[in-house]
Amino acid sequence: MELISSYNLIIEFSVIIILSFLFNGLSRKTNIPAVLMLIALGVILQYILQYFTSETIDFFPILEVLGIVGLIMIVLEAALELELKREKLIPILKSLAIALIGLGLSTWAAASILYYYISDMSMQSAWLYATPLSILSSAIIIPSVAGLRAKKREFHIYESTFSDILGIMLFYFLTGKLNPAEDSGLVGFGGNFLLTITISLIASYAIILIFQKIKSNVKLFLMIAVLLLLYALGKKMHLSSLIIILIFGLVIANMKLFFKGRLSKWLDYDKAHQIYHELHTITGETAFVVRTLFFVIFGLTITITSLFNLQVALISSMLILSIYGIRIILLWIFEGKDVIPQAFIAPRGLITVLLYYAIPEEAIVPGFEPGILLFVIIGTSLIMTVAMIYEKRRSAKAVDLANGRAVGSVKWKVPSVLENEDK
């Protein structure tokens, strides 16, 4: 039976998108991340493919491209929702501190576990393998926290976005250490970071000023193409390219802040704001499609039997315990006692898979089981699901209690009113 034909591919793509939409609706009702459903769909499709054909299909090139585009769209989508106001400076800095310290401690703990329990694992390779496992997944977190209170929702958007960016910077800093000839050290890394910010700001201003002049209705995908081009060129120049996407999103979402004084004369706010609104919509739609395809194809590529390996289960369990142990202590220090469900919203996902496949050949350790990745992704997602369900029930009880008090107070007042009328 021919599964990979033009019309069959169209049918398969359409069915996957429809199912993903249904999964999102189911996720809102059950708090089970849609990502887990998509991975499960990919695993089912893997067995269907094996039943109908003996051909081995290399999905990795597609997975890599989808992962990169998906990451760009997710970070851009998050940045477009971030308001830079004076009263939000403290929450932003706090989220940055938690993301930075959490990433550092989680990577150190994961590297120590991998180094001790996996044979032939050097400490340098352990840090490279540990970094993807220590990065929060904004691809899972951002859609999942929509139902939380505004303060908690913003915290998770800030933290997961910072975690993605800082994690990628750490990963490529560590890969640079593998080749001493190309390693520029911390000074070179800092200079690279400042150069990236400068280029990002210049490019952001230029894109907004140029695109507000374009009269054609077909310009949003042109803008996305320009951003993808800047990201790819930045990677070729060894810049922290994700910062370009983040800063562009922040600039266009906060134009009144960035276009002040003389710069305000150059900005046609109404046209630029319309571009922002349309870009926000198309970015969300594109992120949805790319995220769907990425996790389904990831499900197609994984070996589910590795989950039943005792060593995989042991190492993965220790990694998960270290993740939440560090996170609970960190949030307790910064946020106080109110750390539920934040402490348990720490899933791993798209960026973990993407960076795992980007580990250089000279650092690859044959003894590392890819099932560890899958175990951690599923484990952290399930823990987040339980925490979200608990928070939903707790909020519902609080609302019911408040309503009960309100009804009780009304009932208490009614007799007094009647008594006054009798008198």
Side-chain angles (χ1 to χ4, degrees):
M1 183 177 177
E2 190 179 6
L3 295 174
I4 316 292
S5 66
S6 301
Y7 291 112
N8 282 345
L9 283 173
I10 291 171
I11 292 168
E12 290 153 11
F13 171 79
S14 303
V15 170
I16 288 170
I17 296 299
I18 293 167
L19 286 174
S20 180
F21 178 79
L22 296 175
F23 289 163
N24 278 350
L26 188 60
S27 176
R28 282 191 290 271
K29 291 183 178 180
T30 62
N31 286 308
I32 298 172
V35 166
L36 289 183
M37 303 181 207
L38 292 171
I39 293 173
L41 177 61
V43 172
I44 293 167
L45 291 176
Q46 180 185 147
Y47 286 103
I48 291 172
L49 277 174
Q50 288 174 3
Y51 180 79
F52 283 106
T53 179
S54 57
E55 292 181 23
T56 303
I57 303 169
D58 183 12
F59 287 106
F60 175 69
I62 304 171
L63 192 68
E64 187 178 23
V65 172
L66 283 173
I68 293 168
V69 176
L71 182 62
I72 292 168
M73 291 296 106
I74 289 161
V75 170
L76 180 58
E77 183 185 17
L80 291 173
E81 293 183 2
L82 299 181
E83 292 181 89
L84 297 179
K85 294 181 179 178
R86 187 173 295 176
E87 60 269 23
K88 292 189 178 181
L89 180 62
I90 298 301
I92 290 173
L93 291 176
K94 190 185 289 186
S95 301
L96 176 60
I98 292 170
L100 180 60
I101 298 169
L103 175 69
L105 292 176
S106 295
T107 306
W108 169 78
S112 301
I113 292 167
L114 295 175
Y115 176 72
Y116 186 81
Y117 284 98
I118 295 177
S119 58
D120 301 325
M121 177 74 78
S122 66
M123 184 53 79
Q124 191 174 28
S125 292
W127 272 82
L128 267 175
Y129 276 89
T131 302
L133 291 164
S134 305
I135 303 173
L136 299 173
S137 174
S138 56
I140 299 175
I141 290 174
I142 292 172
S144 299
V145 299
L148 293 180
R149 296 199 306 271
K151 183 181 176 182
K152 291 186 177 183
R153 184 175 66 250
E154 282 190 347
F155 165 75
H156 286 297
I157 291 172
Y158 291 136
E159 186 200 18
S160 61
T161 304
F162 287 137
S163 182
D164 277 355
I165 292 167
L166 293 170
I168 290 170
M169 290 172 65
L170 174 61
F171 181 83
Y172 285 105
F173 174 74
L174 292 172
T175 56
K177 292 287 181 183
L178 293 172
N179 189 349
E182 295 180 6
D183 181 24
S184 55
L186 283 173
V187 175
F189 185 73
N192 177 294
F193 180 72
L194 292 174
L195 177 63
T196 304
I197 290 177
T198 305
I199 292 173
S200 302
L201 286 170
I202 294 170
S204 299
Y205 279 110
I207 290 170
I208 293 170
L209 293 175
I210 291 170
F211 273 81
Q212 71 178 4
K213 301 288 186 183
I214 298 176
K215 295 180 180 179
S216 171
N217 292 326
V218 186
K219 58 186 174 186
L220 291 175
F221 272 107
L222 174 63
M223 181 180 285
I224 289 173
V226 170
L227 292 173
L228 292 174
L229 178 63
L230 286 172
Y231 180 90
L233 289 175
K235 279 294 175 191
K236 291 287 185 183
M237 296 166 63
H238 305 290
L239 300 176
S240 303
S241 293
L242 210 58
I243 292 175
I244 299 172
I245 307 301
L246 176 67
I247 289 179
F248 171 76
L250 291 174
V251 171
I252 198 169
N254 301 272
M255 287 179 285
K256 288 186 177 179
L257 176 65
F258 285 93
F259 286 86
K260 283 186 173 181
R262 293 181 181 179
L263 284 173
S264 61
K265 297 177 183 178
W266 294 84
L267 181 71
D268 187 333
Y269 182 76
D270 290 336
K271 288 183 178 178
H273 186 71
Q274 185 180 355
I275 292 172
Y276 160 77
H277 180 72
E278 292 172 353
L279 182 64
H280 199 294
T281 303
I282 202 166
T283 300
E285 297 278 353
T286 307
F288 164 73
V289 173
V290 174
R291 187 190 298 122
T292 295
L293 295 176
F294 178 86
F295 284 109
V296 170
I297 292 174
F298 175 61
L300 279 163
T301 61
I302 61 177
T303 307
I304 201 74
T305 52
S306 62
L307 287 176
F308 305 105
N309 184 311
L310 185 60
Q311 188 187 26
V312 166
L314 176 65
I315 294 172
S316 302
S317 299
M318 286 190 292
L319 290 170
I320 290 171
L321 284 172
S322 71
I323 287 168
Y324 291 107
I326 291 167
R327 185 166 178 80
I328 289 168
I329 294 169
L330 201 56
L331 284 173
W332 183 76
I333 292 169
F334 279 91
E335 296 286 339
K337 294 180 180 179
D338 185 20
V339 296
I340 296 176
Q342 303 96 290
F344 301 100
I345 299 178
R348 273 53 178 164
L350 185 149
I351 192 64
T352 299
V353 178
L354 189 63
L355 291 185
Y356 169 73
Y357 285 117
I359 293 174
E361 193 174 341
E362 59 267 33
I364 290 175
V365 177
F368 181 87
E369 282 284 350
I372 293 172
L373 247 69
L374 182 60
F375 199 106
V376 171
I377 289 171
I378 293 175
T380 52
S381 295
L382 288 175
I383 290 169
M384 184 187 78
T385 300
V386 173
M388 294 294 286
I389 291 171
Y390 171 80
E391 176 67 12
K392 192 174 183 179
R393 288 178 179 174
R394 188 174 69 160
S395 300
K397 283 182 182 178
V399 171
D400 289 343
L401 186 61
N403 289 339
R405 285 175 180 170
V407 171
S409 64
V410 170
K411 287 179 179 178
W412 181 262
K413 291 177 182 178
V414 169
S416 62
V417 172
L418 293 174
E419 285 173 11
N420 289 334
E421 286 180 356
D422 290 338
K423 290 176 182 179

